[in-house]
Amino acid sequence: QVQPVESGGGLVQPGGSLRLSCKASGIIFKLNDMGWYRQAPGKQRELVATIARSGSTNYADSVKGRFTGFRDNAANTVYLQMNSLKPEDTAVYYCNTDPAYAGWGQGTQVTVSS
């Protein structure tokens, strides 16, 4: 099974922005709602955004109003635009189906710090 490939993370100051990208295999992407997950040190992985096949979205309360998920169906890619970043957003971010059943990729590290 081919894992998704995440990119776009980095170090950003509080209040800054990042855009994450995730490319998934065609079959996985086309047949499933996709989710962005994150795992902070010492914490369990959590779902922060769902981008449905239709393009509709749903967000965790902690990111609502700051994060925007969208997908490019032609490119089998899902994105997460993250604005007004806070230190508590620091985590490794992953994408997967929602619910998660595909293999996990390497993730991309997001660090929010001054």
Side-chain angles (χ1 to χ4, degrees), residues 44-109:
Q44 289 192 334
R45 185 149 39 199
E46 61 172 343
L47 175 68
V48 297
T50 299
I51 303 93
R53 286 176 294 170
S54 66
S56 64
T57 53
N58 194 41
Y59 303 97
D61 288 343
S62 58
V63 306
K64 200 171 293 183
R66 300 187 298 121
F67 289 11
T68 303
F70 56 100
R71 58 197 289 163
D72 181 341
N73 290 331
N76 297 337
T77 301
V78 62
Y79 301 91
L80 187 67
Q81 177 67 42
M82 305 187 297
N83 298 329
S84 302
L85 283 161
K86 304 176 180 180
E88 51 264 43
D89 295 318
T90 295
V92 179
Y93 284 71
Y94 304 86
C95 75
N96 205 317
T97 55
D98 179 23
Y101 74 83
W104 292 100
Q106 295 294 314
T108 186
Q109 175 70 49

Side-chain angles (χ1 to χ4, degrees), residues 6-12 18 20 39-41 82 89-94 106-112:
E6 302 92 349
S7 62
L11 173 63
V12 63
L18 284 173
L20 307 183
Q39 186 167 21
M82 305 187 297
D89 295 318
T90 295
V92 179
Y93 284 71
Y94 304 86
Q106 295 294 314
T108 186
Q109 175 70 49
V110 172
T111 302
V112 185

